[in-house]
Amino acid sequence: MRKLLIPAFVLAATAAHAQAPAHEDGPGPNMVIEVAAADGTSKGTITLDLLADKAPNHVARLVELAKAGAYDGVVFHRVIDGFMAQTGDVEHGKHDGASTNMAGMGGSDLPDLEAEFNDVSFQAGTVGMARAQDPNSANSQFFIDLAPATFLDGQYTVVGQLVEGWDVLNQIKKGDANANGAVEEPDYMAKVTIVE
């Protein structure tokens, strides 16, 4: 299982929305995500600057899956207001799948990745790889922080930073904090492309 582990105090927090992150677009590659509501209505685009110099193996995995179209149609299955939006379950999280109630429990058919913890702090807009309790269990799922989450520093691999689309990210449908952020009729990644 690939659920992101969250300390209990975070679920009870009522953090205010963070300000838009100020991150300069680096050398990339960039991941461009077209976000859609459950009914297919476009919500806009977010752009993530992937940090290949900080987590080369994890970034290579994201790029590989995106280029293969594996992320297209995958839901944001877990979204906690004031914390983060999680997606990337290519096994169980397809929007047009029979059921998304298993979203968050799967990954890809590729092997899990060894942790690449780095010195980048989890701030608003930071992108991290979700994993199970084993630090070396990240696979395809990732999350984007909606507010600073420095308690994750050194515990999860940072793979990127939001550079465009802060308003779109904050409009992603939120889940029920009492249900660990599970989202009913979730928004999804309609199309994911890589710009190198």
Side-chain angles (χ1 to χ4, degrees), residues 9 26 38 46 49 62 84 104 117 180 192 196:
F9 70 86
I46 59 177
D49 177 25
L62 293 175
M84 61 90 214
F117 300 149
N180 203 22
V192 180
E196 303 200 52

Side-chain angles (χ1 to χ4, degrees), residues 51-140:
L51 306 176
D53 59 329
K54 298 292 185 178
N57 296 326
H58 287 73
V59 169
R61 172 66 55 83
L62 293 175
V63 169
E64 179 180 1
L65 291 172
K67 286 185 173 181
Y71 285 132
D72 296 350
V74 174
V75 298
F76 286 90
H77 64 273
R78 192 158 166 258
V79 185
I80 299 174
D81 193 23
F83 180 33
M84 61 90 214
Q86 186 174 339
T87 185
D89 185 344
V90 301
E91 182 180 1
H92 300 300
K94 291 290 187 175
H95 168 70
D96 57 359
S99 174
T100 57
N101 63 352
M102 290 289 291
M105 303 296 285
S108 71
D109 57 3
L110 300 169
D112 288 347
L113 296 161
E114 287 194 24
E116 293 178 297
F117 300 149
N118 51 58
D119 61 356
V120 180
S121 181
F122 282 92
Q123 299 296 323
T126 300
V127 184
M129 292 295 286
R131 61 169 177 81
Q133 193 164 0
D134 180 354
N136 302 315
S137 61
N139 188 288
S140 67

